[in-house]
Amino acid sequence: MTRYTESRVMIRLEDVTQAYPSSGREGRVALGPVSLEVFEQEFLAVLGPSGSGKTTLLRVIAGLEMPQTGRVELAGLDVTNVKRTPPEKRGVGMVFQDYALFPHLTVWENVAFGLSGRNGAKRARVEEVLELVGLQGMGDRYPYELSGGEQQRVALARTLAPNPRVVLLDEPFSNLDADLRREMRSEVKAILRKLQSTVILVTHDQEEAFDWGDRMAVLNRGRIEQLGASEEIYTAPATRFVAEFIGRADFLIGRRCSEGIETELGVFSLKSSAGRVSQHETWEILIRPDMVEIEPDPKGGAVIVARRFSGIQKLYCLELPSGQRIHSLQPSTRNLPEGSRVRLKVLLKKAICFPQGS
Amino acid sequence: MRKWLTLRLLIVGGILGILVPLTSGIGSLGMMAQSSGELVIFSGRREPLLTPVLQLFQQQTGVQLTVKFGSTTALAQEILQLQETGRPVPDVFIANDAGTLEFLQRTRGAFQTYTSPQIATMPERFRSSDGSWIGVSGRSRVIIYNKDLVNPEELPTTAFDLIDSKWRGKIAVSNASDTDGFVPWVSALRLTLGDELTKAFLLKLKENQIVILAEQTDIRKAVGRGEFALGLINNYYVYLQRQEPDPAVRNVGILYHDQRPFQLGTLVNSTGAAIVKGAKNLQNAQRFLDLLVSELAQKLFAELNYEYPLLPGVPIQSDVREELPSGELEGLKQLPVSPADLGKELEATQQLLEEVGWF
Amino acid sequence: MAVSARARRLIKRRSSARPWGLWLPSALIALGMAVPLVYLLYQASSVAPDVWARLLQTRVPGLIVNTLLLTGLVTIGALGLGLLLAWLVERTDLPARKILRSLFIAPLIVPCYLVAICYAAFFGANGLLEKMLQSFGWEMSVPSIYGLGGAAFVLILATYPYVYVIVRASLERFDSTLLDAARACGASRVRAALRITLPLLVPALSAGGVLAALYSLSDFGVVTTLRQQTFVSVIYQQLTGRYDPSAAAALGALLVLLTLLLLWGQGRIWGRRRFASEKPSGRPAPLVRLGRWKIPALALIVVVLIAGLLLPLGVLSFWLVNSWLIPQTNALLWGTSGNALLNYLLNSFTVSVAAASLAVLLALPLAYASVRYRDRWSQTWAWVSQAGQSLPGVLIALGLLFVVLRFLPGLYATVLLVILAYVVRFFPQALQALGSGLAQVPACLEEGARLLGHRPLSAFARVTLPLLRPALMGSWILVFLSALRELPATLLLRPAGFDTLPVRIWTAASEGFYAQAAPAALGLIGLSIPLLFWLHRGSSAQGSVKSYD
């Protein structure tokens, strides 16, 4: 975040809303109102569950949808009006979830589609871009003759060929299998960094979002719930939705007391927003599995009711005397039997808490 | 067992669909011809022209009739093929052109001979020399014209004037399949003038953008509607056109061409009927032939179809007689050919028409 | 590789093991369907050289020009009209699109020979139109409906629904993100339409175009009524007007050649390219706002519906009323020798039921073999048996005549021959409908039944057959409808005393007894309507008019 404070703002959305008519076949969730600034050369990841309006956000920026209200700026220019600044005039490239490769055109023709000008220059540019994505010599193939990863590269090449100022990636890796996904991600990231593009990546995959962005935004029901650095969002979620959506979360119920919040695991002091605390009686405290330390103790208050093995780590499910359950993440080398009693400790300086029922 | 139901339904449907037409009363020729009291007729004459006589026969005899209408040539072909394949043949063949009958008899011996006192009363020119066919009704070639489009004074007097450019694109004729109208006329021209002259004449007609239609009914209707000024046609079609329900298309006139001195004359031809070799209902067939040349039937042809009765003594329909030069068939100047002559020339004429591109 | 020759042989035999009980009948049925065509070609090859020479010198050049002109005009017209209407209905904010969507296929209910007859009577000199104009005091002559223009017009009206249905289905499935991608690549709306949408519609357009072209190549009724000479009308004339069928056989062979060229050309169009993206997007493309173009668009639609549907129906209704007013001519035509309208109806009905049932029964093993065992041979059988589809009824009749006269004289001039002609001609329709129905029944269902202890036949009967019932019914109706309306082959092959409804309508109309043809014609149309709409009720989802590839 600090890197960009003095940078130019590349994309600016102000109170943008985009609603689809609710009748007819497209009764989809609307976007906004959303305000957002993306800086030049920034990599922004937008994370949200399906239907949260991620794709719509990209389409508004690309000019494929016209927002009902608000204002869209690209490099300081007002491009809200799609009629005045149609998609082809924005210098915005987009990679679609299913790649949207033109099935009747060869790889070469697909990549050249967005290029104008002399044939010689065009050819040189296509070759250049194909080499950039590692597809040299594949220009004569048709899309159906390519593997998923290759199709992905063609889609990227096609988007990059006209040298867009902004690149929008709409869940580009979701059709690849897990290994290839990681590999492609770092490759694409490297290419785009090299080109110094401004990039928005939309995804529903947290790992991808964490790994991608300088910053990330969490979108829910068309609104941005939180915008900030990845770590900040994980450790200090602004809303209960963010807390639950990002990483594994348990919520411990507690009551307000003078020092903070009193729970069956003790009293937690509060983060800064104490002012709001006074208004509520019952609170939920965010507990992440990696904060919970456990020690075997026959007199301990919690019982291990289940454990799940996932390679490097084991996730233990613990039942507290009140019946509430929380989880603890432990290295695989540690082996505690189901049904054994444990003592537990929460490593937490400041509690993140939300009023119950919020 | 519902599982095979669909297939069973299909099989039943297939079998029933085949059996029903074979067994029911409306079924095929094969079944029909078995019992007596029936008569199967192939008719190259158009249905409305023959129906009154068929009804008369049915009333008189009570015989059950099965009739297939179609083009004379196609039916002739079918009869030949039925005879070849040994399938049941029709009993009587009515052709709209006696020449076809002569042709079939001469080349394939398709008919059996039959004479009776009644048939003997017909003029010799209109029955075959070996008794294999009889003429039924007579017709002559005429020009039909639309009175709204042409003044009678403007009319050509001979068919050879039709090559005049003033008729360019305004004349309708029929094609090389029209075996009872145009084709015999061309045969007659060939017999009279020779192939070369006839061919030259036809080519001139084509140059004059003469329009070739499929059938004479098309010609009379098109001239009646005013699509064409003139048409080459058989005489009775003119009167049929005048019977059209719509008064606007009735205004057609008739011109007997080539009637002046030093002109060739027109063609008088006849329809004909014959008993097919292998006929199952021979007796009924003979009765039917007798009926065709009886006074009653001849009157029907004359009065309802405006044809020339061939039986001596039966009067020509009054309207027809009125417009006929000299009021009788013998008064007409005719090309000197008989139906039998024409039959021999059929193939050669069609060949010639093919060569000049008459289609 | 260290595989012994014996092992290799064994592998080969194992992998090529095919169920002979299915394979053999399929092969026989397919060959049977192709026999008339093959024998026709054989006959043509034995036509004397001088006949060929004469034909090539005189008739053929003009015929080829005439036929190709008509085919070209009809194809272009049908493509244009079908594409435009499909686009209007699928992609614009045209009012009443839902209703129009199914109304556009309505012209299919009137057999095209009826449309031609109505047009000849309506637009002809001194026809109904001129009369109407005169009654308003306007004396004017209407441009001639006869010849190339008129025939092309009527055939376009008859064929555009095929293009329309296929293109509309294709537009409906169209992946609109491709357009977004094109826009995001910097293409304008127009460029995206030209470079992306249009090329991607090529398969639909070519399938529809080939349908229209084959339709006009094989049409008999329209060209005969409207006096346009094409191969079919000339072959028919040759057959009915001459004793020597060799010229007809020669012309028929040329027509077969023309048809094959057309089909071969269609296969060449796209080569390695694919036109469907793998996953259609769920995002519907935004509708184009027509704005002030709405009025011309609606005007065009009104014209099409009037020309294709209301005008013929109106003329027929007018004649129907007339026929009540002059009953005596009715008796003349429909009452002779005890044959009443009902009998013709019964004739039509029984042969159509037989043909439909037989065609579906015979198509079943072949469809099964070609869908379930996608090996080279079953594909070949399926292809071979398509012969009837692309060929005019006149040619099928001609081929069958040759075959029957030579090998099965007992069938000559029987009802069975008519039924056979229908089966051969409409077998491909049954095969395609069954094939696409079978493709929707997953093979694993049957495999599941096998694992549960059923033998192949029993598994088929208990699982596949019930699921196939809609497809069976659909293909049955398809063939039944086609057979019910068939004209040229029936004209050529019917035995004495066995006229069908279309034959009587045709005879009556060619006698000029239009009024008398009207009740039968309207009856035929009335019978078709529910069946046609049943067939097309699902067409929005799958484009039920099949292509030929």
Side-chain angles (χ1 to χ4, degrees), chain B residues 12 31 57 73 93 96 122 134 144 162 183-184 318 338:
Chain B
V12 167
M31 295 298 200
F57 183 68
T73 316
F93 180 34
N96 60 7
M122 297 286 283
I134 53 164
I144 185 175
L162 295 179
V183 175
S318 55
S338 71

Side-chain angles (χ1 to χ4, degrees), chain B residues 42-350:
Chain B
F42 275 15
S43 170
R45 302 222 59 195
R46 314 191 68 125
E47 190 163 353
L49 299 180
L50 192 64
T51 302
V53 180
L54 294 178
Q55 281 168 343
L56 180 68
F57 183 68
Q58 226 162 7
Q59 278 162 19
Q60 281 188 350
T61 63
V63 165
Q64 177 68 41
L65 288 174
T66 301
V67 190
K68 178 172 182 178
F69 295 95
S71 90
T72 295
T73 316
L75 293 173
Q77 232 172 334
E78 191 171 336
I79 290 171
L80 294 179
Q81 278 156 355
L82 286 170
Q83 285 175 333
E84 264 169 38
T85 55
R87 304 257 315 134
V89 293
D91 305 304
V92 172
F93 180 34
I94 300 173
N96 60 7
D97 164 42
T100 298
L101 299 176
E102 173 72 19
F103 171 73
L104 290 182
Q105 179 65 9
R106 204 171 49 76
T107 56
R108 315 289 273 274
F111 306 118
Q112 38 189 305
T113 56
Y114 171 60
T115 47
S116 69
Q118 182 68 36
I119 288 171
T121 57
M122 297 286 283
E124 258 178 51
R125 185 184 156 199
F126 293 115
R127 55 191 160 96
S128 84
S129 49
D130 66 350
S132 59
W133 57 265
I134 53 164
V136 174
S137 54
R139 63 275 300 284
S140 64
R141 294 295 290 173
V142 298
I143 291 174
I144 185 175
Y145 63 96
N146 186 309
K147 288 182 178 169
D148 298 330
L149 300 176
V150 194
N151 282 329
E153 329 51 284
E154 290 178 278
L155 284 170
T157 61
T158 160
F160 295 94
D161 285 347
L162 295 179
I163 61 175
D164 189 322
S165 63
K166 105 179 183 193
W167 303 113
R168 178 172 286 257
K170 291 181 180 167
I171 315 163
V173 281
S174 37
N175 67 19
S177 300
D178 178 21
T179 49
D180 78 323
F182 186 71
V183 175
W185 183 59
V186 175
S187 297
L189 289 183
R190 285 179 49 237
L191 288 172
T192 321
L193 299 172
D195 282 4
E196 286 312 307
L197 274 176
T198 309
K199 199 169 168 179
F201 170 56
L202 291 173
L203 284 172
K204 284 273 184 207
L205 280 179
K206 274 206 82 179
E207 265 172 46
N208 214 18
Q209 289 175 10
I210 200 161
V211 175
I212 301 160
L213 302 180
E215 301 184 1
Q216 298 193 63
T217 305
D218 296 339
I219 300 178
R220 73 161 166 90
K221 282 173 182 287
V223 173
R225 284 194 301 258
E227 260 183 87
F228 302 97
L230 308 179
L232 279 166
I233 206 168
N234 289 350
N235 63 315
Y236 52 93
Y237 283 110
V238 179
Y239 301 94
L240 290 176
Q241 185 64 24
R242 290 180 186 164
Q243 295 295 306
E244 282 284 314
D246 178 6
V249 302
R250 289 182 199 156
N251 200 15
V252 290
I254 185 168
L255 170 80
Y256 288 86
H257 57 80
D258 293 279
Q259 295 301 309
R260 302 251 171 106
F262 307 112
Q263 290 181 344
L264 280 178
T266 187
L267 172 70
V268 174
N269 193 8
S270 82
T271 61
I275 300 176
V276 179
K277 196 172 274 179
K280 294 258 172 22
N281 308 298
L282 194 56
Q283 222 177 353
N284 286 337
Q286 292 170 347
R287 283 161 84 186
F288 186 69
L289 253 60
D290 281 336
L291 175 75
L292 285 178
V293 295
S294 71
E295 196 176 329
L296 220 50
Q298 290 286 312
K299 265 187 186 153
L300 279 179
F301 288 124
E303 296 296 324
L304 294 178
N305 294 355
Y306 308 96
E307 292 173 279
Y308 306 127
L310 296 181
L311 187 73
V314 178
I316 295 172
Q317 199 268 345
S318 55
D319 293 344
V320 181
R321 194 170 51 224
E322 222 163 83
E323 288 181 292
L324 195 63
S326 81
E328 53 187 77
L329 194 53
E330 282 71 33
L332 209 54
K333 192 166 186 178
Q334 296 179 25
L335 286 160
V337 290
S338 71
D341 299 329
L342 297 172
K344 294 173 192 137
E345 298 298 326
L346 180 62
E347 273 200 318
T349 301
Q350 286 188 331

Side-chain angles (χ1 to χ4, degrees), chain C residues 87-294:
Chain C
W87 180 78
L88 281 174
V89 155
E90 280 301 313
R91 280 283 181 271
T92 70
D93 60 343
L94 194 77
R97 279 175 298 147
K98 270 224 172 83
I99 300 166
L100 288 176
R101 205 168 280 179
S102 44
L103 262 187
F104 282 151
I105 59 160
L108 287 178
I109 65 175
V110 190
C112 63
Y113 48 85
L114 276 180
V115 179
I117 289 167
C118 292
Y119 267 62
F122 189 80
F123 287 106
N126 241 315
L128 295 171
L129 180 58
E130 277 191 10
K131 292 251 166 50
M132 271 160 62
L133 293 175
Q134 274 165 18
S135 67
F136 291 120
W138 299 327
E139 283 287 343
M140 56 173 85
S141 63
V142 183
S144 171
I145 186 73
Y146 292 104
L148 181 63
F153 185 78
V154 171
L155 281 172
I156 287 171
L157 285 177
T159 52
Y160 88 81
Y162 297 105
V163 178
Y164 162 79
V165 168
I166 299 175
V167 171
R168 196 171 69 72
S170 181
L171 272 178
E172 214 172 34
R173 285 192 304 259
F174 190 78
D175 183 356
S176 64
T177 49
L178 291 177
L179 285 184
D180 293 339
R183 301 295 303 278
C185 280
S188 66
R189 200 189 269 283
V190 176
R191 190 168 125 88
L194 290 181
R195 286 286 311 273
I196 305 299
T197 313
L198 211 56
L200 287 176
L201 288 179
V202 162
L205 285 172
S206 83
V210 164
L211 274 177
L214 289 176
Y215 196 103
S216 58
L217 265 186
S218 59
D219 168 73
F220 164 76
V222 176
V223 293
T224 310
T225 308
L226 296 181
R227 302 181 197 153
Q228 169 73 4
Q229 295 228 336
T230 62
F231 269 101
V232 167
S233 67
V234 170
I235 291 168
Y236 185 80
Q237 279 170 21
Q238 287 283 345
L239 266 181
T240 53
R242 303 296 156 77
Y243 292 96
D244 179 14
S246 59
L251 291 172
L254 285 177
L255 181 53
V256 171
L257 213 69
L258 218 61
T259 309
L260 289 180
L261 261 176
L262 192 82
L263 290 175
W264 179 81
Q266 189 209 11
R268 294 286 104 176
I269 292 180
W270 50 71
R272 255 163 76 227
R273 258 178 274 183
R274 289 260 174 107
F275 291 89
S277 63
E278 312 286 302
K279 296 169 208 132
S281 90
R283 195 178 285 274
L287 299 179
V288 173
R289 292 193 199 293
L290 284 176
R292 59 205 161 84
W293 285 98
K294 213 170 261 181

Side-chain angles (χ1 to χ4, degrees), chain A residues 170-207:
Chain A
D170 185 5
E171 309 223 14
F173 308 113
S174 63
N175 284 330
L176 305 175
D177 56 49
D179 281 343
L180 191 57
R181 195 182 300 180
R182 220 162 283 139
E183 196 180 303
M184 280 302 296
R185 189 164 64 226
S186 57
E187 209 176 306
V188 168
K189 211 169 141 181
I191 292 172
L192 289 171
R193 280 280 189 232
K194 200 162 102 190
L195 297 173
Q196 304 187 322
S197 309
T198 306
V199 184
I200 300 181
L201 169 92
V202 146
T203 180
H204 66 270
D205 178 348
Q206 307 175 21
E207 187 198 328

